[in-house]
Amino acid sequence: MNSNSRAIVGALVGCLLSLAVLPAQSQAPQPTYWWNDRVFYEVFIRSFQDSDGDGIGDIQGLISRLDYLNDGDPSAGEDLGITGLWLMPPTEAHSYHGYDVTDYYAVERDYGTLADMRQLVAAARERGIAVIVDMVLNHTSSRHPWFLGARSGDPAWRDWYIWADEDPGYHGPWGDVAWHRAGGDYYYGVFWDGMPDLNFHNPAVTQEMQHVASFWLRDIGVDGFRLDAIKHLIEAGERQENLPESRQWLSGYEAHLEAVKPGSFTVGEIFGGPSFVVARYVNERAIDIGFDFKLAGEMIEAASRGSNRDIIRAHRAALRDYPFNQFATFLTNHDQNRLANSLRQDIGRNKAAASLLLTGPGVPFLYYGEEIGMVGTKPDERIRSPMQWDDSPLAGFSNAARAWQPLQAAGHIASVNVARQTADAESLLSHYRDLVHLRNRHTALRRGDWTHVESSARGIYAFLRSHAQERLLVIINLDDEASEGFTLSLAESKRDLSAPTLVFGRGELRAPRLNAAGGFADYAPVPSLPAHSTIVLVF
């Protein structure tokens, strides 16, 4: 794609972002926003691509791989089709992962410079990719100058953190030590002693963290933030999670972001709990959307067990609790064992999980390498290992003698790499690529409503996605066996379902016989649906 074409795409994306806070056009069932049209991809810069031969991934390396994510030409369909990029913390930090920040205004020196970051944002925008970065609000590193000043007793910094003269005697919400000794005093750090919590009762802290956000939105040009660990922002003694005061603080922060850059986007991490706990943050306008961990777990379980029962309940709960489609869906992230391990490296089950993620409601997020079936189990470094591009000694990640973190086993990499799977139409990568492009082509999958369709087989999960004049019927076989003779039922429909066309998957398609209410009963769309396969019909 030439630079002129990319400039045009970039201008169109800019227009979309400038209109982000406006409600959708009248044909949408309810208001949606620019992020509803995105498929996001989470990248750990350290592990994506090394450009300078030091064995550490960097920003220039990521720029060199952007065409894999999206080459800016939607008609070609050779890229993955990604339209949103989430970067784990790019800021200067003490630890390899970046979540213990030492300087919010500098890029991690292993990754590059602020100029590199601005170049990345511009290059992504040319390809139609929005960029969000991890914003670590709850805590800093114990090596941050703010905390070093506070620990030394400097009154200018002391109240930026949470102190007690004596050990308060209670642990953190998951039973770990939360109060840490420093001299004769104790400071609060819910995660560990290397990450002291900031004191958001201090207006100066709020003002500074707003200033940090303004810098990244205005000076760097990012489109928003993934907000880390926000259920821990404000505590009241032993009440350490999901306090109303945290949501109130975030509402003010959200208003600040909107004033700085209208249409800026926030997705929050509120780990654990049912949908309604996360939905409170969205409903109270503390964040735009939140990651639904309960739904993620149920999608994995559905693909693992081959049953539609609990995923139906999870989708209904999400659609009940959140504003219309305003929740983030995902399968795994950088804190969890890899999806391939959870599904016992079964390619079919991985495909079924991908189908649930990319055809369902909400805003989907993929974790790098998930699309090729990369493996990895705790400790954390092993679930954040380098991206597997080919079967060379360091999998195309680097030409150094060794990578910052050992790669997975060579036998695994031989088949699980981008180069091998790209040309294989039956590979997991091809399945992800086809699904992402399908979602990009069909508004109903991005912005549409959701209606469950009853199935005679517990392994068949079927639902309608509808938007304006577009109606799609998604049918996913979650089972390890082919499903033959299954039927579908829908009591009524106000939309015409008489003439289906197959737009995804394969099969000898049949049309339904509609009842007086526009629905159907005992509809057998195909004679047989192979194990873990997906078909999508458009009406």
Side-chain angles (χ1 to χ4, degrees), residues 249-305:
W249 186 92
L250 285 163
S251 294
Y253 183 77
E254 181 82 8
H256 171 78
L257 303 185
E258 193 62 29
V260 170
K261 187 171 186 175
S264 58
F265 170 54
T266 54
V267 53
E269 181 208 23
I270 305 99
F271 179 78
S275 295
F276 70 82
V277 173
V278 182
R280 285 181 188 146
Y281 289 79
V282 183
N283 287 313
E284 294 178 22
R285 298 186 178 181
I287 53 177
D288 290 315
I289 65 175
F291 287 105
D292 194 315
F293 284 84
K294 175 66 173 175
L295 177 55
E298 293 299 354
M299 285 193 284
I300 295 173
E301 284 298 302
S304 178
R305 295 196 312 265

Side-chain angles (χ1 to χ4, degrees), residues 199-211:
N199 176 19
F200 285 106
H201 291 293
N202 181 349
V205 176
T206 294
Q207 183 178 21
E208 177 62 22
M209 296 313 289
Q210 290 180 347
H211 189 268

